[in-house]
Amino acid sequence: GAVVSQHPSRVICKSGTSVKIECRSLDFQATTMFWYRQFPKKSLMLMATSNEGSKATYEQGVEKDKFLINHASLTLSTLTVTSAHPEDSSFYICSARGGGSTYEQYFGPGTRLTVT
Amino acid sequence: GQNIDQPTEMTATEGAIVQINCTYQTSGFNGLFWYQQHAGEAPTFLSYNVLDGLEEKGRFSSFLSRSKGYSYLLLKELQMKDSASYLCAVVDSNYQLIWGAGTKLIIKP
């Protein structure tokens, strides 16, 4: 149980275009979803936390107008990278957490974004 | 501030035992996770400790001492597939995960 899918797994886009990444919890309801970014050989960097039906909470230094997060349902959250630039190239990972007392986050497989 | 420390890299031999340490200073404590991450993949859950002591799960064990702000992950009978990064993460008083930078474990034949 507790499977999280992420789509697409890889995407290459041109500079200036926008890219949408979907994160879905397949067999549980995710009250909270997290979006992370990871550069090569570096640890996870939390970008934002989103709760279903409310605005995402962004970490300091993360531009909310550039990284649009929508958590419209208990099983789907999307991250849109707007006007992408080469420096946005990275590995983006989502995770989801259900309700209850467990704080475990279930991770999606990640999306490798390359901006040319 | 909040801080989690773990070694950057460790090397061990196939079949041996290795211990990866993690020390933390956080605002509150609601548990500690260990995740495994292979290169280019997302992290996968290994263990969760919220009470002091040792939790054993097959070849992997995790230990926690809350008074010392210390945990370790113990890997026995190392296999080549255990080559990965191991991430320590603490749940703080706001129930957010605070991540360590990860320990890259290299297994040699």
Side-chain angles (χ1 to χ4, degrees):
Chain A
V3 178
V4 176
S5 70
Q6 203 172 325
H7 178 80
S9 57
R10 290 178 180 272
V11 58
I12 300 173
C13 70
K14 292 187 177 181
S15 187
T17 61
S18 295
V19 174
K20 180 184 284 188
I21 303 170
E22 291 187 351
C23 178
R24 294 181 184 272
S25 57
L26 299 185
D27 52 2
F28 69 102
Q29 293 187 324
T31 54
T32 306
M33 285 188 168
F34 305 86
W35 286 96
Y36 293 88
R37 183 174 182 178
Q38 188 174 35
F39 292 104
K41 300 182 181 180
K42 299 292 184 182
S43 187
L44 298 171
M45 184 190 81
L46 179 65
M47 299 174 67
T49 302
S50 73
N51 292 296
E52 184 265 339
S54 60
K55 290 184 179 180
T57 302
Y58 289 80
E59 296 299 302
Q60 192 172 6
V62 178
E63 299 175 59
K64 62 180 180 181
D65 294 330
K66 180 170 183 61
F67 299 99
L68 301 178
I69 292 173
N70 184 284
H71 191 167
S73 77
L74 284 172
T75 58
L76 173 64
S77 176
T78 61
L79 167 67
T80 302
V81 183
T82 62
S83 187
H85 289 96
E87 57 265 31
D88 298 325
S89 298
S90 189
F91 190 48
Y92 291 88
I93 309 173
C94 74
S95 69
R97 188 175 76 196
S101 60
T102 177
Y103 308 115
E104 182 181 349
Q105 294 181 21
Y106 303 97
F107 286 87
T111 298
R112 176 75 59 192
L113 170 64
T114 303
V115 184
T116 60
Chain B
Q2 310 209 84
N3 193 47
I4 299 192
D5 288 315
Q6 45 181 136
T8 303
E9 186 174 297
M10 299 181 70
T11 302
T13 304
E14 189 177 15
I17 299 173
V18 71
Q19 177 176 311
I20 302 174
N21 296 325
C22 171
T23 58
Y24 61 89
Q25 301 92 36
T26 56
S27 58
F29 178 85
N30 284 296
L32 184 146
F33 287 95
W34 283 97
Y35 282 85
Q36 180 191 60
Q37 186 179 26
H38 285 99
E41 299 180 10
T44 56
F45 170 83
L46 288 178
S47 66
Y48 174 66
N49 294 68
V50 66
L51 299 176
D52 291 347
L54 185 69
E55 297 270 349
E56 297 186 73
K57 190 184 295 184
R59 293 190 299 116
F60 292 6
S61 301
S62 56
F63 172 83
L64 174 67
S65 170
R66 289 172 294 172
S67 62
K68 296 182 179 179
Y70 168 68
S71 173
Y72 68 73
L73 180 69
L74 189 71
L75 292 77
K76 303 177 182 176
E77 302 170 15
L78 286 171
Q79 301 175 10
M80 297 303 293
K81 66 178 182 179
D82 297 330
S83 292
S85 287
Y86 291 85
L87 306 173
C88 172
V90 173
V91 185
D92 70 4
S93 57
N94 294 319
Y95 304 104
Q96 299 300 321
L97 273 181
I98 310 300
W99 292 89
T103 298
K104 182 179 180 180
L105 177 62
I106 300 169
I107 309 297
K108 295 185 175 179

